[in-house]
Amino acid sequence: MHTVRTIADVRSMVRLWRGQGERIAFVPTMGNLHAGHIHLVNQARRRADRVVVSIFVNPMQFGANEDFASYPRTLSEDSIKLAENGAHLLFVPEAGELYPRGVAGATRVEVPGISDILCGASRPGHFTGVATVVNTLFNIVQPDMAVFGEKDYQQLLVIRRMVADLCLPVTVVGVPTVREADGLAMSSRNSYLTAEERARAPQVYQVLCQVRGRIQDGEADYAAIEAGAEQALIAAGFRPDYVSVRRAEDLMPASVADQTLVILAAARLGKTRLIDNLPIELKNRQQNPIISV
Ligand code: PAF
């Protein structure tokens, strides 16, 4: 595996591979890699001849009071994992390489609407930071495809919409969430949890499963189900930002007529903000859904 720090070095490597007719898959990350990231790399390898991974803790997607400074940076361990798992090129830019005029002076990519709801409401500007850096990285790497985890479901939809609206020639591949044995979605931020919080953290997944069960059983008062789920998280010591049943295609609030849904949750536990989601398909929904009163 080659490790490079400049745009010019990425371009010359990719040019060489393209000249050989090879297909390129890209996995953008912020490092502190876990089994979920490695699964993305393996999925990328199955689909392309060459796999490019980036590690860049993107300052533009962090709010002023968020964890940019403390975000875990584990480059040596990450490099070993990537090399062992068959990545071909690791791009580790400095901030000045991607933002030559600084973050404040950088041109931005804004994906309106979908960036402002759910996590975007709790983290204003976050998805503009994500869309901007992913667009820049796409322009540098020029991959045939890019692989993202469905754990960050809203991020995945923001990127899909950006790619569609800007006519970017990149196929976006979403990969199902990798979970710990107890159901907790893998995340770099899980390393912030204390032992006691780590034991409680899977309750986010358990609450999502309960919501899915109630909807599959025919309950259709989504507002009541969401409120109950938030109460369950509060009772378990979380500070929920939201639990929400949405249309999977665009994250608009779901009605009983919608069949392809996603249940999303974001909740704080101590200083850690956890997010998770579960897809739900209601093809065989019963004719008379239960409406709670
Ligand atoms: O999901 C992440 O790790 C980041 O948001 C991404 C896509 C690498 C952009 O910085």
Side-chain angles (χ1 to χ4, degrees):
M1 184 181 76
H2 302 272
T3 301
V4 297
R5 293 189 173 269
T6 67
I7 295 168
D9 284 345
V10 175
R11 289 227 162 113
S12 69
M13 201 78 227
V14 168
R15 197 176 308 119
L16 180 74
W17 292 334
R18 285 232 174 276
Q20 296 165 180
E22 293 179 325
R23 282 173 64 74
I24 293 156
F26 178 43
V27 184
T29 81
M30 298 204 302
N32 193 29
L33 304 180
H34 50 67
H37 293 111
I38 299 308
H39 185 55
L40 302 183
V41 171
N42 289 331
Q43 291 298 313
R45 268 190 25 237
R46 283 179 47 187
R47 291 170 163 85
D49 304 299
R50 300 287 178 176
V51 176
V52 180
V53 179
S54 63
I55 295 182
F56 178 63
V57 184
N58 172 33
M60 195 189 278
Q61 70 188 72
F62 288 80
N65 300 318
E66 293 185 351
D67 55 342
F68 174 69
S70 58
Y71 197 86
R73 287 154 171 91
T74 53
L75 184 57
S76 318
E77 294 92 326
D78 293 349
S79 300
I80 293 167
K81 288 180 192 167
L82 291 171
E84 283 175 354
N85 285 279
H88 298 94
L89 181 64
L90 171 59
F91 179 40
V92 193
E94 295 292 338
E97 188 75 359
L98 300 192
Y99 300 118
R101 271 165 291 284
V103 172
T107 300
R108 276 147 209 269
V109 177
E110 195 187 327
V111 184
I114 194 163
S115 294
D116 306 322
I117 58 175
L118 301 168
C119 283
S122 312
R123 306 183 65 192
H126 168 68
F127 288 115
T128 295
V130 170
T132 300
V133 81
V134 170
N135 181 58
T136 303
L137 291 165
F138 281 4
N139 286 334
I140 294 166
V141 177
Q142 303 194 357
D144 297 285
M145 73 200 72
V147 184
F148 294 87
E150 289 178 357
K151 190 214 141 219
D152 296 297
Y153 189 78
Q154 188 174 3
Q155 167 173 283
L156 178 63
L157 291 201
V158 166
I159 291 164
R160 283 195 197 285
R161 193 168 297 174
M162 173 187 78
V163 163
D165 288 357
L166 299 182
C167 305
L168 302 181
V170 180
T171 302
V172 175
V173 178
V175 173
T177 304
V178 178
R179 298 183 180 280
E180 305 284 358
D182 59 9
L184 178 65
M186 289 198 185
S187 164
S188 299
R189 289 190 168 98
N190 291 350
S191 61
Y192 297 158
L193 296 166
T194 64
E196 188 271 326
E197 289 164 351
R198 173 62 189 83
R200 267 192 290 156
Q203 294 193 50
V204 176
Y205 175 64
Q206 288 159 17
V207 163
L208 288 174
C209 289
Q210 286 157 12
V211 169
R212 181 165 68 180
R214 289 176 67 175
I215 294 173
Q216 283 171 333
D217 287 347
E219 284 192 51
D221 185 346
Y222 295 155
I225 295 173
E226 290 163 359
E230 288 186 16
Q231 280 310 316
L233 285 175
I234 291 167
F238 293 80
R239 301 186 308 285
D241 281 348
Y242 60 81
V243 178
S244 196
V245 183
R246 299 281 169 136
R247 296 198 311 216
E249 59 169 323
D250 58 7
L251 294 185
M252 287 296 102
S255 76
V256 280
D258 296 312
Q259 296 192 318
T260 306
L261 309 177
V262 59
I263 312 153
L264 306 106
R268 289 168 207 272
L269 184 58
K271 63 174 185 166
T272 310
R273 185 172 185 274
L274 299 169
I275 61 170
D276 200 353
N277 68 83
L278 271 188
I280 169 165
E281 189 63 51
L282 294 177
K283 283 267 181 305
N284 302 319
R285 188 177 197 116
Q286 60 197 71
Q287 288 304 303
N288 299 309
I290 303 161
I291 311 246
S292 319
V293 285

